[in-house]
Amino acid sequence: MKFTDFNTTKNSDGMIPAVIQDADTLKVLMVGYMNEEAYNKTVETGLVTFYSRTRNTLWTKGESSGNTLTVREILVDCDSDTLLIKAIPAGPTCHRGTVSCFDSVNSEGFIRHLQSVIQGRHAEMPEGSYTTKLFTKGVNKIAQKVGEEAVETVIEATTGNRDRYIYEVSDLIYHLLVLNEQMGVTIHDLEEELIQRHK
């Protein structure tokens, strides 16, 4: 469909709301607005693109975080004034690190939120950040830290010290998330691998 086929009269700015739904799980991920240019770019590139009314510019979801939304299907409702876009998310949709903008950080777990923070550090490389320091040293140093934390985790597990085990395994998970980011891998990628194995 062409954008001119839609009924945009409800919005004085000529935009149409777009509900984004996970094409596999059917979970509602977020809601955004599209003008004609954003809609056309979405259709042409296959990546969900919105129009930001606060910044007055187009923005493709995931352009900085890498958490893109790849379009599988675009549907229009019976009044032609709302879009339903079924998409495949590459990582958490919300900037808080949750799968959906309608979830709380606690409902989806803090680890996804932490992954999002690490992705932000990698993109921005702020001075004084330990995570930035790791990225600066490269994959070999990050992998070494994962190995060190894994050994420390094993030691605490075999000694039976639960509190120390929790401390060390938390360090391990953090450094593993940094290594994942360095390798271009997300929790979603790991989930997909595990799902395939489970099948």
Side-chain angles (χ1 to χ4, degrees), residues 57-129:
T57 186
L58 294 183
W59 66 280
T60 299
K61 180 70 180 76
E63 59 191 5
S64 58
S65 68
N67 299 330
T68 55
L69 294 165
T70 301
V71 177
R72 182 177 287 176
E73 185 178 12
I74 299 177
L75 303 171
V76 62
D77 77 334
C78 57
D79 294 322
S80 297
D81 61 6
T82 303
L83 297 178
L84 174 64
I85 299 180
K86 296 186 178 183
I88 304 298
T93 297
C94 185
H95 70 280
R96 300 166 303 161
T98 57
V99 171
S100 167
C101 292
F102 297 96
D103 296 325
S104 69
V105 171
N106 290 334
S107 71
E108 289 300 328
F110 182 76
I111 291 177
R112 284 187 182 276
H113 174 69
L114 180 58
Q115 174 184 254
S116 180
V117 171
I118 290 168
Q119 289 169 339
R121 295 287 191 274
H122 196 198
E124 299 165 11
M125 297 292 278
E127 291 185 18
S129 164

Side-chain angles (χ1 to χ4, degrees), residues 2-15:
K2 295 181 180 179
F3 190 83
T4 51
D5 296 328
F6 303 139
N7 178 8
T8 60
T9 57
K10 288 186 179 180
N11 297 310
S12 58
D13 50 13
M15 287 196 259

Side-chain angles (χ1 to χ4, degrees), residues 20-36:
I20 313 302
Q21 182 182 44
D22 188 308
D24 291 327
T25 67
L26 304 184
K27 186 180 184 73
V28 174
L29 301 175
M30 67 176 297
V31 177
Y33 286 85
M34 293 182 175
N35 61 5
E36 185 171 4

